[in-house]
Amino acid sequence: MASLASVPSPGSCALSSHIKSGIPPKSPFFLALATPSSSSSTTNSNKLTRRRNGNTRSPYMVPPLRSNEHNLNGDQRKQQNDNAQSAASPLNVDLMRLCEGGKLDQVLDFMVQGAAADYAVFLALLNLCENTKSLESGKRVHELLRRSPFRGDMDLNNRLMRMYGRCGSMNDARRVFDKMRERDISSWHLLIDGYSVNGLGDDGLLCFKKMKQEGIRPNGESFALVLAACARAEAVEEGFMQFESMKNEYGIVPGIEHYLGVINILGNAGHLNEAKEFIEKKPFKPTVEVWEALRNFARNHGDLDLEDHVEELLVDLDPSKAKAISDKLPLPSRKRQSAVNMLEEKNKITEYRHSITYREEANEKLKGLSGQIREAGYVPDTRYVLHDIDEEAKEKALQYHSERLAIAYGLISTPPRTTLRIIKNLRICGDCHNAIKIMSKIVGRELIVRDNKRFHHFKDGECSCGDYW
Amino acid sequence: MALSKPIFFNLARPHRLSYVYLRFLSFSSPEEAAAERRRRKRQLRIEPPLSALNRSQPQQAKPQSQSPPYYLNPNNPKLPEHVSALTGNRLNLHNRILTLIRENDLEEASLYTRHSIYSNCRPTIFTINAVLTALLRQSKYSDLLSLHRFITQAGVVPNIITHNLIFQTYLDCRKPDTALEHYKQFINDAPMNPSPTTYRILIKGLVDNNKLDRAMEIKEEMDGRGFAPDPTVYHYLMLGHARNSDPDGVFKLYEDLKGKLGGVLEDGIVYGSLMKGYFLREMDKEAMECYEEAVGENSKVKMSAVAYNSVLDALSKNGKFDEALNLFDRMTGEHNPPRRLTVNLGSFNVMVDGYCAQGRFKEAMEVFRKMGEYRCSPDTLSFNNLIEQLCNNGMLVEAEEVYGEMEGKGVNPDEYTYGLLMDTCFKEDRPDDAAAYFRKTVESGLRPNLAVYNRLIDGLVKFEKIDEAKSFFDLMVKKLKMDVSSYQFMMKVLSNEGRLDEVLGIVDTLLDDTGVDFDEDFQEFVKAELRKEGREDELTKLMEEKERKKAEAKAKEAEAAEAAKRSARAAVASLLPSKLFGNKEIDSESQPEGEVQASKEETTGTATESESVETTAEAENLGDAEDKSDREGASVSA
């Protein structure tokens, strides 16, 4: 009910507040039901409405990226007042309120029917699209925006880019960016950020290069974003250079976010030792966040020694963390600490150990531990292919027997170690029987296959039918 | 091995080494670095062979821009996963595996990882790395390599950590050539650059494997690739030179490093090996000056535990044990975990060595036992070291006492521990205990080699314990690949005792052993032994008998194979509808997989029967997977 709310008369304020308190904002057609009802909580909502109306600052002044304040263009408001007086039904809707209720599709429908939206509504719409990550609606908003008087507005366009970035469509974001007549540094920032959030760190870096070429001087924030893009692209060398050039060329003193950015790069690329050394050689004392970041990377990359060490340091800095860690299992001790062992030539086990596996063990290994089924002793039995084709094609044909496809499908769609049941209306072929036996061992599941003769329970490389086939 | 690609050469610029110690400074601009990174990624784009393209689309000259994007082709080699892949179920799996690792149930951890490969929740490379790291920590090399092989075959793309682990594994189990082979492949093919840690691992491993030359080559390559000089790498190399008694090499490396760092050396790690260099030249004064520089009152040098250990080692090995004791006191005083770590297991190992060299064994054992106070836990190597020192100085009782402590500390003895104790027991005339140690080795799943076995048999025979020797022979003949001399030794012993039947028994097993050639000389040897009692023809008889049996077995096998073939053929033939060959075209249309069909279903001759296959999975969640109840969940039809 944007039109109604925008009339700056006290009466309409009261009306809208009544509506608000009487009818839950969820109900779609509250306008039709609008009846004044007595309510005790009018003051609160009154204030709300008044604040919205009282804001008569000129547009483009408020940085919309940072706030959700709703501004109204003077002309726009007048036009809406006219609309309100004409009281045509789709045009009379309080779009703003619908937006607040999250009725994205409805607002769009109304707008297509001709309801005029103001700046605030567009902002709210883009916000909604961003939060719900619905690209479809986002595109509709874009379309409507293009036809609206705000199409050239830089902030709205920036906002549009951000929406596209959050919805995962960097192509659209780029298109918006390319069409923008004027851009500020935050447009560039949004583009770089969008690329790195969507996993296209490389493009983000190219974009940063172009930004510098266009003569825009990067600031601290730009470098934080660039470092994030490097982290995404796992570009260690480049990240270090950007970090250096930030200090040397642009004279920006690196803040904690930049150091964290470098640690992120190293951590993402799996250079854990280097990350730890980088932290130790930093000019200031590492904070809790720094250690936490390293701890998480150590855990992700499976370096539990480092994780435990960093955790100790964390507790040392902030004893309140001790409780969360205390129930953790201690790591079993290392068998041989070759990295720290300082003694020379004491590693004589090989001299004493039989270097090849014992014979009986070797046989076992060949059967059990080797990787794919061929290595486990599977040889395709092409006698079961009756077509007159060459050997290679026969082997290929065997691989696509329906029971194998069914098992493959079952494997990728179920959690590990659950039983699979396959039902087939033809008899299973001997080659598949062999293959499934070996498969059951490798994938560690019981595979139950019923053909038109009997049930076969495959488990641990054996079949219940005793290879009767 | 000309590995270094002469694309980006070192533009050594020490002036840019600011307070933050930096690597990767060979590129002149970020753009250049990006170009190199993209180049490595682009290497992945292998073009399909031309013939494959031409066959399907003859003469269809597509413009270059029309070719589908690289990532759309599932057959292309891939980049390793990014950390952001570790979310949702895959993160749960990761945490679950980490818990298993902490519980030290590595078998289950690696098995579960394998099984998850074929499920709806594929483990990330990070999970696999965690398991590999844990396996490496426990020195389970063969399990590690087999898991690595498994995931490679399953198409999981390794990342830099995986590669580092593989290098480390091969170097730890003394296969430096294989490690270098892998490194070469990695440099040529992998879509990523090596990390400084890669070089640390390689260079340390090569030095430890006595391949100093190769280590120096790798270091050259590291410089060529534009890595900033790493004092740790220099430390390993200098130590290698010191070990080879080559002080010139040590000094040269030191000068090189100092030059590259612009004359300021903050990292104390190289001082110990530098001192060793001076001691080798018998320049004790210079060595002690160097010591002063590193750990003196106003020294700005940062000393880590490894740096201290190396200095400590240099002192105690070169007759400055009093200084070493002082330094050790200082180190334990400075030790303040977790912030400052100045003592580690290596420090204690050095001290134990030092005390033992002074003949102060009681104090050596004391300092060894004090380790726990500094939160260091001894490993098998340090136990072996102390036991060896005690054994070599005739203190078997003390050595066994230390050996007894191993279990309490959760450290497992290895082949070396048992070998030491066995040898010493023989020296001290306790053959029964020696035999018991050997038996324990085998029983605890370790693998003593032929040399250890030979020493055991030799010792037992010397104490005239022939029966025991024979029983060990029987135990080991199934496991070890015995050579001719160990067979002959046993036979000789037995025939001297007049137990010729047993000699013949050995010949019997010998003939089954394909590893040893029972040649003329060997036969002559056995005959000579048998001749003593005039039973030489029994050998020929035995051999003939064996020959016959082998032939019989072979014939039987062949027959069985033939029978199996025949039955299979019969089975196929009985199933094979005679018509099938007639209307092959129809069949191949409707049955692309060439299904063997039951003939009764073929009566209509249309060959268009539909085939239905159903996959039913128990739709239980992960946690209930152990619950083997026969609940049926959603059924999926394929």
Side-chain angles (χ1 to χ4, degrees):
Chain A
M1 209 162 114
S3 53
L4 204 60
S6 61
V7 179
S9 77
S12 83
C13 273
L15 176 63
S16 70
S17 72
H18 280 299
I19 291 165
K20 214 175 218 168
S21 53
I23 290 144
K26 268 183 198 163
S27 86
F29 294 109
F30 59 89
L31 192 75
L33 305 168
T35 45
S37 67
S38 61
S39 165
S40 55
S41 65
T42 43
T43 42
N44 199 7
S45 37
N46 246 336
K47 238 184 242 165
L48 220 147
T49 324
R50 202 172 294 137
R51 188 174 56 101
R52 193 191 296 157
N53 295 334
N55 196 343
T56 50
R57 270 183 286 171
S58 72
Y60 309 136
M61 281 289 286
V62 184
L65 280 175
R66 251 152 275 125
S67 71
N68 278 332
E69 273 182 84
H70 315 296
N71 330 294
L72 286 173
N73 184 322
D75 298 338
Q76 195 66 19
R77 194 188 301 159
K78 205 173 162 201
Q79 188 193 340
Q80 280 168 357
N81 283 345
D82 296 344
N83 282 347
Q85 272 139 29
S86 66
S89 69
L91 308 177
N92 251 353
V93 189
D94 186 350
L95 292 174
M96 202 57 227
R97 196 164 305 166
L98 277 173
C99 287
E100 274 163 20
K103 308 277 173 210
L104 184 57
D105 289 339
Q106 268 178 40
V107 178
L108 288 172
D109 287 342
F110 280 129
M111 283 170 73
V112 169
Q113 284 167 39
D118 56 21
Y119 193 90
V121 170
F122 273 118
L123 270 185
L125 280 176
L126 288 173
N127 244 347
L128 266 179
C129 295
E130 202 178 299
N131 293 338
T132 53
K133 296 217 192 308
S134 68
L135 185 62
E136 276 311 300
S137 325
K139 283 192 168 158
R140 284 176 72 188
V141 176
H142 186 187
E143 193 57 42
L144 288 165
L145 183 66
R146 272 222 309 250
R147 288 193 231 134
S148 77
F150 311 114
R151 63 176 164 278
D153 181 66
M154 189 172 68
D155 284 332
L156 269 184
N157 271 317
N158 280 350
R159 202 47 183 259
L160 195 61
M161 269 169 61
R162 193 171 101 172
M163 184 276 294
Y164 275 130
R166 291 285 180 276
C167 294
S169 171
M170 276 321 284
N171 281 345
D172 288 309
R174 185 64 193 242
R175 217 165 290 145
V176 173
F177 179 83
D178 288 340
K179 282 196 183 135
M180 277 167 80
R181 269 185 232 117
E182 42 173 350
R183 301 166 189 147
D184 61 358
I185 191 161
S186 69
S187 319
W188 288 98
H189 285 179
L190 280 170
L191 195 62
I192 298 173
D193 186 44
Y195 276 129
S196 55
V197 166
N198 286 296
L200 302 161
D202 251 350
D203 295 279
L205 291 173
L206 285 174
C207 180
F208 178 67
K209 189 175 150 195
K210 215 168 148 202
M211 162 178 164
K212 283 196 290 189
Q213 281 168 358
E214 302 241 321
I216 297 172
R217 195 180 163 80
N219 57 20
E221 200 192 335
S222 330
F223 277 105
L225 291 171
V226 166
L227 291 176
C230 287
R232 196 53 241 216
E234 297 183 9
V236 182
E237 295 90 342
E238 215 172 334
F240 268 108
M241 278 179 207
Q242 302 285 12
F243 188 70
E244 280 292 285
S245 83
M246 171 174 94
K247 286 189 295 187
N248 300 343
E249 279 174 50
Y250 295 94
I252 299 167
V253 180
I256 182 82
E257 73 271 20
H258 298 117
Y259 282 104
L260 272 173
V262 175
I263 292 162
N264 244 336
I265 295 174
L266 290 169
N268 269 327
H271 295 198
L272 290 177
N273 283 339
E274 289 74 18
K276 183 157 178 283
E277 274 168 27
F278 180 78
I279 293 174
E280 278 164 359
K281 284 175 173 142
K282 245 165 29 142
F284 57 86
K285 247 182 131 170
T287 58
V288 175
E289 304 97 79
V290 171
W291 288 127
E292 266 179 352
L294 185 63
R295 197 255 325 256
N296 293 340
F297 280 123
R299 187 179 290 160
N300 279 349
H301 288 292
D303 191 342
L304 296 181
D305 287 314
L306 185 61
E307 184 193 333
D308 286 0
H309 177 62
V310 172
E311 221 143 58
E312 274 178 34
L313 288 165
L314 257 175
V315 174
D316 197 48
L317 270 178
D318 181 1
S320 65
K321 303 250 182 224
K323 228 184 101 228
I325 294 161
S326 59
D327 55 336
K328 215 168 186 180
L329 285 167
L331 204 56
S333 63
R334 186 182 268 274
K335 194 167 171 204
R336 241 175 68 207
Q337 314 196 339
S338 59
V340 287
N341 186 41
M342 285 294 304
L343 294 168
E344 298 157 27
E345 302 299 312
K346 291 288 186 221
N347 183 7
K348 286 181 189 155
I349 301 177
T350 35
E351 191 181 298
Y352 280 77
R353 174 182 286 166
H354 193 50
S355 54
I356 0 170
T357 46
Y358 284 157
R359 279 188 233 157
E360 66 243 52
E361 285 172 31
N363 285 340
E364 192 110 322
K365 289 247 159 68
L366 220 99
K367 259 199 286 180
L369 294 179
S370 54
Q372 258 51 0
I373 54 173
R374 255 176 217 267
E375 214 166 296
Y378 168 68
V379 180
D381 192 348
T382 50
R383 284 175 313 188
Y384 296 98
V385 182
L386 303 174
H387 302 289
D388 185 17
I389 43 179
D390 61 19
E391 267 316 277
E392 212 175 305
K394 278 186 180 178
E395 282 182 19
K396 214 164 191 180
L398 281 172
Q399 285 170 17
Y400 296 103
H401 278 186
S402 57
E403 53 268 48
R404 291 199 208 184
L405 296 178
I407 289 176
Y409 176 70
L411 288 177
I412 56 167
S413 55
T414 55
R417 292 185 184 172
T418 44
T419 306
L420 284 184
R421 290 154 204 281
I422 316 286
I423 299 170
K424 181 176 162 69
N425 68 345
L426 297 177
R427 190 146 178 228
I428 184 171
C429 90
D431 182 63
C432 284
H433 194 264
N434 282 336
I436 296 171
K437 271 201 295 185
I438 299 166
M439 261 185 232
S440 70
K441 171 117 189 164
I442 291 172
V443 303
R445 304 182 186 229
E446 189 175 2
L447 304 170
I448 302 173
V449 183
R450 197 211 72 182
D451 63 6
N452 63 351
K453 295 271 186 237
R454 60 165 65 233
F455 276 101
H456 299 268
H457 295 251
F458 297 96
K459 202 177 178 187
D460 282 338
E462 312 236 327
C463 178
S464 61
C465 74
D467 287 350
Y468 170 75
W469 182 67
Chain B
M1 195 163 55
L3 285 171
S4 57
K5 295 198 173 62
I7 302 169
F8 304 107
F9 267 109
N10 195 7
L11 317 163
R13 53 178 82 128
H15 62 278
R16 281 190 64 178
L17 281 166
S18 50
Y19 55 90
V20 178
Y21 176 62
L22 272 180
R23 304 164 192 284
F24 312 117
L25 290 175
S26 69
F27 305 110
S28 62
S29 71
E31 283 73 34
E32 212 173 315
E36 160 73 354
R37 179 166 46 77
R38 293 196 187 100
R39 186 186 63 78
R40 287 193 70 84
K41 281 190 186 173
R42 224 177 299 121
Q43 282 179 349
L44 284 177
R45 299 175 197 205
I46 300 160
E47 298 294 331
L50 282 173
S51 57
L53 279 177
N54 291 343
R55 200 175 299 167
S56 53
Q57 310 158 318
Q59 310 296 317
Q60 215 177 46
K62 276 187 176 176
Q64 197 114 55
S65 57
Q66 288 272 306
S67 67
Y70 174 77
Y71 53 84
L72 281 185
N73 185 348
N75 293 327
N76 282 336
K78 293 178 200 86
L79 290 171
E81 279 170 310
H82 189 258
V83 183
S84 55
L86 202 57
T87 48
N89 271 342
R90 303 178 91 188
L91 182 60
N92 294 344
L93 174 68
H94 185 71
N95 289 334
R96 189 172 167 174
I97 298 280
L98 288 190
T99 317
L100 283 174
I101 290 172
R102 281 189 185 272
E103 285 164 358
N104 208 9
D105 193 354
L106 292 186
E107 214 160 297
E108 170 67 5
S110 67
L111 204 61
Y112 199 79
T113 313
R114 276 162 187 255
H115 290 167
S116 304
I117 292 259
Y118 298 106
S119 76
N120 60 352
C121 176
R122 226 169 132 84
T124 50
I125 184 66
F126 311 106
T127 311
I128 291 160
N129 283 344
V131 180
L132 293 178
T133 315
L135 288 170
L136 183 64
R137 280 182 95 242
Q138 303 298 325
S139 308
K140 297 191 171 169
Y141 302 120
S142 62
D143 291 350
L144 189 155
L145 292 174
S146 110
L147 179 61
H148 177 252
R149 197 172 162 69
F150 190 89
I151 61 125
T152 314
Q153 284 176 333
V156 180
V157 189
N159 66 11
I160 181 72
I161 294 189
T162 325
H163 287 294
N164 284 349
L165 284 169
I166 292 300
F167 299 147
Q168 181 86 63
T169 307
Y170 279 122
L171 290 166
D172 275 4
C173 51
R174 308 248 146 167
K175 294 198 166 69
D177 293 325
T178 323
L180 283 172
E181 194 60 36
H182 268 258
Y183 173 68
K184 197 172 161 189
Q185 229 172 41
F186 164 74
I187 289 294
N188 287 338
D189 302 334
M192 66 197 94
N193 289 324
S195 73
T197 305
T198 312
Y199 286 106
R200 282 192 190 173
I201 289 171
L202 279 173
I203 289 178
K204 170 150 198 331
L206 288 172
V207 170
D208 286 349
N209 281 298
N210 294 326
K211 297 225 168 213
L212 192 54
D213 300 345
R214 303 308 299 274
M216 289 299 283
E217 275 172 34
I218 298 279
K219 187 218 146 225
E220 290 301 317
E221 194 194 319
M222 184 179 173
D223 291 342
R225 286 180 164 270
F227 285 89
D230 181 356
T232 313
V233 162
Y234 278 85
H235 160 68
Y236 296 143
L237 288 170
M238 285 161 75
L239 213 58
H241 281 294
R243 219 178 278 169
N244 291 354
S245 308
D246 174 16
D248 292 334
V250 175
F251 298 137
K252 215 170 118 194
L253 278 165
Y254 177 69
E255 291 306 322
D256 181 26
L257 175 65
K258 213 166 174 181
K260 278 190 186 147
L261 291 178
V264 193
L265 196 52
E266 279 194 349
D267 199 327
I269 198 159
V270 292
Y271 282 97
S273 19
L274 184 62
M275 282 167 68
K276 281 184 193 165
Y278 282 124
F279 280 124
L280 277 173
R281 276 264 181 90
E282 293 175 355
M283 294 158 73
D284 286 21
K285 207 173 128 256
E286 281 82 355
M288 293 316 281
E289 272 167 18
C290 182
Y291 172 59
E292 203 51 41
E293 192 186 330
V295 299
E297 288 289 306
N298 304 318
S299 168
K300 276 188 190 142
V301 178
K302 282 185 193 145
M303 299 293 281
S304 64
V306 181
Y308 269 129
N309 291 348
S310 141
V311 173
L312 197 63
D313 196 38
L315 289 173
S316 73
K317 289 247 168 78
N318 291 288
K320 310 264 179 205
F321 193 63
D322 291 337
E323 278 89 347
L325 278 178
N326 281 337
L327 181 63
F328 186 66
D329 276 346
R330 188 176 142 184
M331 282 160 66
T332 47
E334 276 182 25
H335 192 58
N336 178 26
R339 277 194 203 168
R340 179 124 172 82
L341 305 174
T342 49
V343 183
N344 64 15
L345 178 60
S347 331
F348 288 96
N349 288 342
V350 174
M351 286 317 286
V352 167
D353 268 6
Y355 274 121
C356 288
Q358 304 276 316
R360 294 153 74 172
F361 297 104
K362 279 268 163 300
E363 280 161 293
M365 281 163 76
E366 243 165 60
V367 81
F368 187 81
R369 284 171 186 153
K370 249 180 22 192
M371 212 183 281
E373 294 168 26
Y374 298 95
R375 301 207 309 170
C376 298
S377 47
D379 62 359
T380 313
L381 276 177
S382 52
F383 267 112
N384 285 352
N385 178 40
L386 182 57
I387 291 174
E388 185 183 16
Q389 300 274 13
L390 294 172
C391 283
N392 290 348
N393 290 286
M395 303 173 75
L396 181 58
V397 183
E398 283 82 357
E400 283 182 319
E401 198 182 308
V402 174
Y403 162 76
E405 286 169 26
M406 291 180 84
E407 200 171 341
K409 293 251 165 68
V411 181
N412 294 327
D414 59 13
E415 288 90 344
Y416 186 60
T417 324
Y418 286 120
L420 266 174
L421 290 168
M422 185 188 90
D423 291 345
T424 321
C425 280
F426 275 127
K427 252 188 253 162
E428 308 249 319
D429 300 341
R430 289 165 49 186
D432 291 331
D433 290 334
Y437 280 124
F438 187 82
R439 201 175 286 281
K440 224 178 217 167
T441 324
V442 180
E443 275 166 9
S444 52
L446 298 169
R447 301 199 300 259
N449 65 7
L450 193 60
V452 181
Y453 158 82
N454 282 342
R455 284 210 297 277
L456 170 80
I457 298 294
D458 199 43
L460 285 175
V461 169
K462 264 187 205 144
F463 284 97
E464 301 190 342
K465 295 192 173 283
I466 312 297
D467 286 334
E468 288 221 16
K470 178 70 173 57
S471 77
F472 276 110
F473 172 81
D474 289 341
L475 178 70
M476 295 312 287
V477 77
K478 287 181 237 131
K479 295 173 181 280
L480 280 170
K481 204 171 180 173
M482 300 243 180
D483 59 6
V484 175
S485 61
S486 25
Y487 273 116
Q488 288 187 349
F489 184 79
M490 199 66 230
M491 287 178 182
K492 187 106 190 157
V493 168
L494 287 172
S495 85
N496 285 349
E497 289 285 303
R499 294 154 72 166
L500 288 182
D501 291 334
E502 286 174 39
V503 173
L504 283 171
I506 293 178
V507 174
D508 193 46
T509 49
L510 181 67
L511 288 170
D512 285 335
D513 184 357
T514 47
V516 173
D517 191 14
F518 193 51
D519 56 7
E520 293 281 309
D521 290 349
F522 203 164
Q523 284 176 26
E524 201 42 54
F525 167 81
V526 178
K527 272 187 192 151
E529 293 300 324
L530 290 171
R531 203 167 290 133
K532 282 181 208 159
E533 290 192 16
R535 294 168 61 176
E536 61 259 47
D537 9 321
E538 280 182 38
L539 176 68
T540 351
K541 222 188 271 171
L542 180 73
M543 283 174 75
E544 275 165 7
E545 178 77 0
K546 200 83 195 168
E547 225 29 52
R548 198 168 54 77
K549 266 189 194 158
K550 260 188 195 167
E552 258 174 33
K554 220 173 204 172
K556 227 178 211 173
E557 213 171 83
E559 199 175 317
E562 186 55 38
K565 228 183 207 169
R566 226 180 301 132
S567 74
R569 209 176 292 145
V572 173
S574 75
L575 291 171
L576 185 70
S578 49
K579 269 186 219 154
L580 205 69
F581 286 111
N583 43 14
K584 202 174 280 163
E585 300 81 15
I586 307 169
D587 186 53
S588 59
E589 267 168 34
S590 62
Q591 300 268 183
E593 44 162 82
E595 185 65 54
V596 179
Q597 294 168 15
S599 47
K600 59 179 178 187
E601 288 167 349
E602 268 296 314
T603 43
T604 50
T606 50
T608 51
E609 67 166 315
S610 68
E611 202 187 62
S612 82
V613 179
E614 223 174 297
T615 308
T616 318
E618 277 169 31
E620 294 164 39
N621 54 21
L622 270 174
D624 295 342
E626 286 87 26
D627 186 6
K628 287 275 185 270
S629 65
D630 260 359
R631 267 180 288 155
E632 286 251 83
S635 86
V636 203
S637 273

